[in-house]
């Protein structure tokens, strides 16, 4: 009899252990071991346990190809999460590791492979080829594409998170906790305050006493200042909106005389346009979007155009604001020289549009929904042994669940957005559809994005500087990993699973996008590296840039209001404090805005930071060396960012690698 030593590791998260029967069979190139019940004295398969067993075979198995695990019910159903299995052969040779990281739900049988990453052409054994094929067939039945709404990326076919397999569901979901709180506490308690305006701007401090952050407090003190408005265009929650203005838009009839008082000495608007110091925020995408009606009360939306100037002494400052796209008598151009309350209200309207765009477009569409396409295609087309699956899996963790919950609880017909946000209801979908039509593959690559927007020379654009550092680190990481498994461009072209993956992304996920710019075939290693870098950068750094500062920039509600309750002003001289208070969110809406942005933007207690891999999908020494180099590079970036921020009163730390989550989980 041949005796193999087998080690089985149970997951460390809550409910990972089981009291059900577990059986194991080793499948080798020369046959199978005995089917062995894994049962030591005492308790087996407790949470976090690493249990060792002996498994016998009547004859040598040769190379162990697969480990077959079976779970059978004992008294009551008790799910089990298996991390990995190791197998030591009878001759004391190399210990083989079989990564699993799967839930066993019900009476189930599962076969797992040894951890060495292999492409399809790297497998020769018919048994292993059949295993790949069967695994993908089962996954394609489980993870299906569906159109949740026309005109946006397709997603996983799951009406609620309960329809998702346990493998992609977190045992504790933060968003469920949030929505439960709002269903049973916030909504009931705040109903009596609906429609009640605050008395004055200072009154907003009444909800600012407990939930705070250094940036939120700084925002409360400086939000009226023009330089701070400009700073948020560069480093706030929507830092990808600003673009260089080479020529004034035809629908913004600003003259040089109108903005001369904002110019530095011995210059004018025309000179600064030529010098590249004039920038633009154009919210044309908001034009004509239907506004929400909340409890019978109409909310209001504007489509502002904001002109900004990179002043040599004052930094980036707004110099003109038009609140609608069509100029006219009732669409005045607001200027810093106008009555202070008129200028302040105009900036509030721009920031209100900023809330809609960053939440629904920069955040939801351009990170959550884009990454979900990669999630579904990866699960459907790449087996667990494939190196690209192993590379992407940690960066796609729990994204399907959080997106599913978001669709049902945040942006649904009766979700939180419908209750408090001016684009809630039909507006948010129409807005997302407009953005999706113009979405390009080029625009989600940071090098091209900054270049195309003409913002490469803007000073103090910390989001840009840190993004480019992270992009280079991520691109270098994936390039090193790709080069381990693909020796040439031909290898990429001949990987049928990889080509099926890219077709699923382009033809099933990003449908109805003829100008997206991502081909349906990968022709080179460089194309593959760029695509993988986009997927990982979007799911980590880009999501952190738009998500993690939500509370900081939105907690002081007048700075970034979620809704407006009166239409945009048409007469500068008619703006009063009473008009401003009647326009800003009421007491109920303000409380919900503050609370929801705190929950969604705060650091998650079980967050896994960028570059930390709690599941060892890769087992080869060379792949582990690549991961270690990536971690070292991230540490250097961390040091650089911390040093750069030393002594700054207003710090930009959203893209510290230690504060970037490894995947989109909130």
């Amino acid at each position: 009899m041949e005796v193999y030593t087998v080690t089985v590791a149970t997951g460390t998260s809550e409910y990972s252990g089981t009291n059900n029967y577990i059986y194991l069979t080793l499948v080798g190139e020369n046959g199978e071991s005995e089917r062995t019940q894994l049962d030591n004295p005492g308790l087996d398969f407790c949470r976090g346990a690493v249990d060792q067993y002996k498994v016998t075979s009547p004859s040598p198995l040769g190379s162990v190809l697969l480990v077959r695990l079976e779970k059978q019910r004992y008294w009551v159903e008790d799910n089990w999460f298996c991390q990995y299995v190791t197998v030591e052969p009878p001759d004391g040779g190399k210990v083989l590791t079989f990564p699993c990281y799967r839930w066993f739900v019900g009476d189930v049988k599962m076969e797992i492979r040894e951890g060495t990453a292999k492409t399809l052409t790297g497998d020769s054994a018919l048994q292993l080829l059949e295993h790949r094929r069967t695994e993908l067939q089962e996954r394609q039945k489980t993870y299906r594409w569906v159109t949740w709404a026309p005109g946006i990326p397709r997603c996983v076919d799951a009406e609620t998170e309960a329809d998702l397999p346990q493998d992609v569901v977190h045992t504790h979901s933060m968003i469920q906790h949030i929505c439960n709180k709002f269903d049973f506490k916030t909504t009931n308690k705040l109903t009596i305050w609906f429609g009640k305006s605050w008395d004055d701007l200072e009154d907003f401090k009444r909800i600012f006493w407990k939930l705070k952050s250094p940036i939120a407090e700084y925002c409360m003190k400086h939000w009226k200042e023009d330089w701070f408005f400009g700073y948020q265009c560069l480093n706030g929650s929507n830092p990808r909106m600003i673009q260089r203005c080479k020529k004034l838009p035809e629908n913004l009839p600003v003259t040089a005389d109108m903005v001369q008082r904002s110019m530095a000495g011995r210059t004018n608007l025309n000179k600064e346009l030529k010098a590249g110091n004039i920038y633009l925020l154009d919210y044309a995408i908001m034009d004509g979007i239907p506004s929400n009606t909340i409890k019978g009360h109409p909310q209001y939306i504007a489509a502002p155009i904001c002109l900004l100037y990179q002043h040599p002494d004052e930094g980036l400052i707004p110099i003109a604001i038009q609140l609608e796209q069509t100029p006219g008598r009732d669409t005045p151009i607001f200027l810093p020289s106008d009555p202070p309350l008129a200028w302040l209200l105009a900036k509030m309207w721009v920031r209100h549009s900023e809330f809609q765009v960053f939440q629904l477009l920069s955040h939801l569409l351009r990170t959550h929904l884009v990454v979900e396409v990669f999630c579904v295609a990866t699960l459907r087309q790449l087996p667990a042994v494939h190196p690209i699956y192993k590379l992407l899996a940690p960066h796609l963790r729990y994204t399907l669940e959080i997106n599913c919950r978001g669709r049902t609880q945040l942006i649904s017909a009766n979700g939180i957005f419908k209750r408090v946000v001016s684009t809630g209801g039909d507006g948010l979908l129409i807005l997302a559809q407009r953005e999706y039509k113009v979405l390009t593959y080029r625009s989600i690559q940071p090098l091209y994005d900054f270049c195309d927007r003409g913002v490469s020379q803007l000073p103090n654009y910390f989001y840009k500087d840190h993004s480019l550092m992270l992009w280079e680190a991520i691109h270098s990481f994936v390039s090193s990993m790709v080069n381990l498994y693909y020796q040439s461009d031909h290898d990429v072209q001949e990987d049928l699973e990889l080509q099926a993956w890219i077709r699923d992304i382009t033809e099933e996920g990003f449908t109805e996008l003829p100008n997206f710019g991502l081909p349906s075939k990968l022709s080179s290693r460089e194309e593959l590296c760029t695509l993988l870098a986009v997927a990982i950068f979007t799911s980590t750094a880009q999501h952190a840039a738009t998500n993690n500062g939500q509370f900081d920039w939105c907690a002081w509600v007048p700075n970034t209001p979620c809704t407006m309750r009166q239409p945009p002003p048409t007469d500068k001289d008619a703006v009063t404090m009473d008009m401003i208070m009647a326009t800003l969110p009421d007491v109920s809406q303000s409380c919900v805005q503050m609370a929801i942005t705190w929950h969604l933007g705060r650091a998650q207690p079980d967050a896994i930071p960028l570059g930390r891999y709690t599941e060892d999908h890769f087992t080869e020494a060379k792949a582990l060396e690549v991961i270690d180099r990536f971690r070292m590079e991230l540490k250097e970036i961390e040091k650089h960012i911390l040093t750069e921020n030393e002594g700054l009163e207003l710090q930009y730390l959203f893209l510290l690698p230690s504060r970037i989550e490894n995947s989109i989980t909130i």
Side-chain angles (χ1 to χ4, degrees):
M1 298 290 285
E2 301 288 317
V3 181
Y4 294 79
T5 302
V6 172
T7 299
V8 180
T10 296
T12 57
S13 62
E14 199 167 0
Y15 309 118
S16 291
T18 186
N19 61 7
N20 285 186
Y21 296 118
I22 303 296
Y23 298 89
L24 184 145
T25 306
L26 300 177
V27 181
E29 58 184 349
N30 298 327
E32 298 185 1
S33 72
E34 294 180 350
R35 178 176 181 265
T36 304
Q37 181 181 347
L38 304 182
D39 186 17
N40 287 330
L43 294 175
D44 298 278
F45 311 113
C46 295
R47 173 184 175 184
V50 179
D51 301 306
Q52 192 175 89
Y53 305 92
K54 300 297 183 181
V55 176
T56 60
S57 173
S59 60
L61 297 175
S63 297
V64 179
L65 304 177
L66 302 166
V67 170
R68 182 182 302 133
L69 290 166
E70 301 174 61
K71 185 178 80 69
Q72 290 186 1
R73 177 176 175 173
Y74 172 74
W75 289 106
V76 295
E77 176 57 47
D78 193 11
N79 299 339
W80 176 51
F81 185 84
C82 175
Q83 293 195 96
Y84 62 84
V85 176
T86 66
V87 178
E88 181 181 346
D91 60 4
K94 179 184 176 182
V95 176
L96 303 176
T97 300
F98 294 73
C100 184
Y101 305 109
R102 298 281 306 277
W103 281 97
F104 287 68
V105 180
D107 291 347
V108 65
K109 181 187 299 183
M110 195 180 300
E111 292 181 341
I112 56 176
R113 284 191 57 164
E114 192 270 326
T116 302
K118 289 187 177 182
T119 62
L120 182 61
T121 55
D123 266 339
S124 56
L126 293 177
Q127 199 166 3
L128 295 180
L129 291 171
E130 177 62 20
H131 181 267
R132 297 179 87 108
R133 187 184 66 81
T134 302
E135 180 184 4
L136 290 180
Q137 285 180 340
E138 292 175 353
R139 291 240 216 98
Q140 287 164 12
K141 292 178 182 177
T142 302
Y143 301 99
R144 302 170 304 279
W145 291 105
V146 74
T147 300
W148 184 74
I152 61 173
R154 299 182 79 206
C155 60
V156 69
D157 185 4
E159 290 189 11
T160 71
E161 64 280 357
D163 298 323
L164 293 170
Q166 186 66 38
D167 288 329
V168 296
V169 175
H170 201 315
T171 51
H172 296 289
S173 174
M174 178 57 64
I175 196 170
Q176 179 64 59
H177 172 69
I178 294 167
C179 293
N180 284 346
K181 277 199 166 190
F182 278 91
D183 283 342
F184 300 117
K185 293 183 179 180
T186 307
T187 301
N188 293 336
K189 289 184 178 180
L190 295 178
T191 297
I192 59 173
W193 299 106
F194 182 81
K196 176 175 173 49
S197 299
W198 298 97
D199 293 333
D200 53 47
L201 292 173
E202 289 294 305
D203 219 15
F204 282 95
K205 291 181 179 178
R206 293 171 60 186
I207 57 168
F208 208 68
W209 61 276
K210 185 175 182 181
L211 300 181
K212 294 182 180 181
S213 76
I215 292 179
E217 291 188 82
Y218 190 95
C219 181
M220 180 184 67
K221 297 174 183 177
H222 298 278
W223 70 284
K224 294 180 182 180
E225 299 167 26
D226 286 351
W227 76 266
F228 187 69
F229 179 98
Y231 177 92
Q232 292 182 85
C233 299
L234 301 176
N235 303 307
S237 286
N238 189 32
R240 51 160 296 277
M241 188 82 179
I242 190 169
Q243 57 182 307
R244 180 184 170 186
C245 180
K246 297 179 181 179
K247 179 183 177 183
L248 290 180
E250 293 183 2
N251 61 337
L252 182 64
V254 171
T255 65
D257 289 342
M258 291 170 68
V259 297
Q260 186 59 42
R261 291 176 61 177
S262 298
M263 297 288 114
R266 298 183 180 180
T267 190
N268 57 45
L269 178 61
N270 293 329
K271 288 181 180 179
E272 295 302 324
L273 279 167
K274 293 177 182 178
N277 292 325
I278 303 299
Y279 293 88
L280 192 70
L281 296 174
D282 189 350
Y283 296 89
I285 197 166
M286 297 283 294
D287 193 27
I289 294 292
S291 60
N292 196 4
T293 297
I294 303 176
K295 294 187 177 180
H297 295 265
Q299 310 296 293
Y300 294 90
I301 291 173
I305 309 174
C306 178
L307 205 63
L308 300 107
Y309 169 44
Q310 181 61 41
H311 194 286
D313 302 319
E314 300 175 27
L316 186 68
I317 56 172
I319 59 174
I321 295 172
Q322 181 177 287
L323 295 181
E324 299 293 355
Q325 291 290 305
T326 304
R329 186 174 180 180
D330 292 332
T331 310
I333 295 176
F334 293 83
L335 305 169
S337 56
D338 288 337
L341 289 182
W343 179 238
L344 182 64
L345 182 56
K347 289 190 292 181
M348 289 181 188
W349 271 102
V350 175
R351 296 294 303 167
H352 164 257
S353 295
E354 185 82 336
F355 184 96
Q356 317 306 316
V357 169
F358 104 72
Q359 287 285 17
L360 297 171
L361 307 185
S362 298
H363 183 199
L364 173 66
L365 176 64
R366 285 179 168 264
T367 63
H368 281 258
L369 301 188
V370 164
V371 171
E372 183 166 1
V373 170
F374 287 95
C375 286
V376 178
T378 299
L379 288 165
R380 285 173 51 82
Q381 303 298 344
L382 299 179
V385 74
H386 198 288
I388 304 307
Y389 178 91
K390 291 174 177 283
L391 178 64
L392 288 179
H395 303 289
L396 308 178
R397 174 178 176 262
Y398 302 141
T399 299
L400 293 184
E401 180 195 11
I402 199 66
N403 283 7
C404 193
R405 290 187 183 275
R407 281 188 287 269
T408 58
Q409 298 164 357
L410 291 181
I411 62 172
S412 60
N414 296 309
I416 291 175
F417 271 62
K418 176 61 180 174
R419 303 179 203 178
V420 296
V421 179
S422 60
T423 51
D426 295 338
L428 65 86
L429 179 57
I430 295 172
L431 189 59
Q433 289 168 334
R434 287 185 180 180
E435 178 76 355
Y436 183 60
K437 284 182 180 179
V438 298
L439 178 68
T440 64
Y441 179 48
R442 183 181 176 92
S443 72
I444 55 178
Q445 299 177 55
L447 283 170
Y448 290 131
D449 175 49
F450 295 124
C451 179
D452 293 346
R453 289 191 287 117
V455 295
S456 298
Q457 303 305 314
L458 265 173
N460 300 319
Y461 199 178
F462 304 121
Y463 159 73
K464 170 182 67 70
D465 299 338
H466 300 175
S467 291
L468 292 177
M469 286 190 290
L470 290 163
W471 170 262
E472 290 299 325
I474 291 169
H475 193 276
S476 175
F477 167 56
V478 299
S479 297
S480 297
M481 201 66 85
V482 165
N483 290 339
L484 286 180
Y485 299 100
Y486 296 92
Q487 305 306 308
S488 66
D489 293 343
H490 180 74
D491 291 345
V492 172
Q493 297 165 14
E494 294 301 307
D495 187 339
L496 299 182
E497 291 170 339
L498 190 69
Q499 298 299 337
W501 174 71
I502 185 63
R503 285 196 304 274
D504 227 26
I505 290 171
T506 58
E507 297 174 8
E508 294 290 345
F510 296 121
T511 56
E512 305 172 25
L513 275 186
N515 300 317
F516 184 58
L518 178 62
S520 296
K521 181 178 181 180
L522 289 167
S523 300
S524 67
R525 290 191 294 179
E526 180 54 35
E527 287 181 1
L528 174 59
C529 291
T530 299
L531 182 58
L532 294 172
V534 165
I536 294 175
F537 178 85
T538 304
S539 65
T540 57
Q542 189 58 47
H543 180 257
T546 56
N547 177 79
N548 293 3
Q550 289 189 63
F551 178 75
D552 296 306
W553 307 116
C554 300
W556 182 248
V557 175
N559 181 61
T560 318
C562 64
T563 191
M564 295 295 233
R565 297 180 295 135
Q566 296 294 327
T570 58
D571 182 354
K572 300 179 185 183
D573 296 324
V575 177
T576 64
M577 184 56 71
D578 286 343
M579 176 189 291
I580 290 176
M581 301 317 298
T583 300
L584 287 172
D586 65 26
V587 175
S588 171
Q589 293 164 334
S590 300
C591 292
V592 174
Q593 173 178 327
M594 188 179 192
I596 195 69
T597 54
W598 181 77
H599 277 295
L600 293 177
R602 72 189 180 101
Q604 304 305 307
D606 58 350
I608 299 174
L610 177 62
R612 181 183 169 199
Y613 298 102
T614 57
E615 297 179 347
D616 296 323
H617 292 278
F618 285 104
T619 59
E620 308 94 297
K622 288 185 177 180
L624 297 178
E625 289 172 6
V626 170
I627 292 173
D628 286 340
R629 288 200 301 271
F630 180 45
R631 287 173 174 160
M632 292 302 297
E633 191 163 359
L634 293 175
K635 286 183 179 179
E636 291 302 313
I637 292 173
E638 182 107 359
K639 290 179 183 177
H640 175 87
I641 294 175
L642 289 173
T643 300
E644 179 185 68
N645 279 273
E646 284 181 357
L648 294 182
E649 187 177 8
L650 182 57
Q651 297 185 332
Y652 187 81
L653 302 175
F654 299 116
L655 292 183
L656 271 178
S658 62
R659 298 190 184 184
I660 298 172
E661 197 164 356
N662 220 16
S663 62
I664 298 175
T665 67
I666 188 63

